[in-house]
Amino acid sequence: MTESPQPSLYVPFETHHRVVYQDPREESVNAQDYARGLAAYLVSQHPQLNIKIVESNGIKCNNVADIHRQLAEMSKNWNLDEDAAAEFPSLVGLAEQGLEPDADSRALSEQLQLAYAYAQHTDVLILVEPLQAVDPQTQSIIFTQLEKRVKKHPVLAQKSKIFIVSETDEVSRRIQRDRSAA
């Protein structure tokens, strides 16, 4: 029986930002392996950190009513106050889309998954390819909302860092922006 190799340790780009974008192509690995290596590195540096890696877990939604129902259920389960619960659709780009009845169910499922990921009780959140099916314009809106609200929203403010590990063009653009500003 062969064991799978341990992931290499991937050192994140040093930044003061709470949202950190990582492109696994820079290390010539897939996003899942990069996320595991990143988590191993973070644990080696800060063993006390609670770190969660969130990949697609099969949350499905097929229509607008499904989205509203699942967001309401999530908010209730997380004991969010009314204002924090009301912010969730815009945090994941659902308010900007207007929840059109013919919206792509895979994209909507990813956005719902993102809401679920944000609400995880953890110090560090590593999101693996969170928005592959979402169009670039909506990705930009979602990441901008995350950056604006990461310190203010009661659920997001609990996290010391949120890593977005993705091969999308929007993530590559944000990595270049952050490195240029450093």
Side-chain angles (χ1 to χ4, degrees):
M1 182 168 154
T2 60
E3 286 185 36
S4 63
Q6 288 291 331
S8 299
L9 301 179
Y10 299 112
V11 180
F13 171 65
E14 290 298 323
T15 179
H16 66 281
H17 296 292
R18 303 245 329 258
V19 179
V20 182
Y21 302 94
Q22 305 281 236
D23 187 340
R25 294 175 294 190
E26 292 179 358
E27 300 290 339
S28 300
V29 297
N30 66 41
Q32 291 79 11
D33 288 343
Y34 187 96
R36 285 192 289 275
L38 175 60
Y41 169 78
L42 293 170
V43 166
S44 75
Q45 299 299 303
H46 309 282
Q48 76 285 2
L49 284 179
N50 180 6
I51 300 170
K52 285 202 180 191
I53 298 173
V54 177
E55 300 178 42
S56 177
N57 73 352
I59 289 180
K60 300 287 185 226
C61 60
N62 298 313
N63 56 48
V64 176
D66 208 15
I67 287 278
H68 286 293
R69 182 185 55 73
Q70 289 194 46
L71 283 174
E73 185 68 27
M74 285 180 194
S75 296
K76 184 177 80 176
N77 289 342
W78 301 322
N79 298 318
L80 295 180
D81 66 40
E82 196 172 303
D83 291 338
E87 264 189 277
F88 259 92
S90 64
L91 280 173
V92 298
L94 293 170
E96 286 78 5
Q97 282 184 337
L99 295 176
E100 311 235 347
D102 61 347
D104 176 18
S105 65
R106 182 169 168 231
L108 291 174
S109 295
E110 285 183 351
Q111 288 167 275
L112 191 59
Q113 170 69 32
L114 190 58
Y116 169 79
Y118 284 169
Q120 296 298 304
H121 295 287
T122 186
D123 300 318
V124 175
L125 183 60
I126 301 173
L127 302 173
V128 181
E129 296 291 6
L131 299 172
Q132 281 186 320
V134 176
D135 67 88
Q137 181 180 2
T138 304
Q139 284 180 27
S140 179
I141 290 168
I142 292 169
F143 291 144
T144 298
Q145 289 299 321
L146 173 60
E147 290 170 5
K148 285 180 181 177
R149 296 182 180 165
V150 71
K151 293 180 184 175
K152 299 174 189 166
H153 191 276
V155 174
L156 297 175
Q158 298 170 6
K159 292 152 186 49
S160 60
K161 291 275 187 196
I162 297 175
F163 290 93
I164 310 288
V165 179
S166 177
E167 297 179 4
T168 64
D169 291 340
E170 182 60 26
V171 165
S172 295
R173 188 184 70 71
R174 288 175 185 264
I175 289 169
Q176 292 309 315
R177 175 202 67 189
D178 292 347
R179 287 183 181 160
S180 295

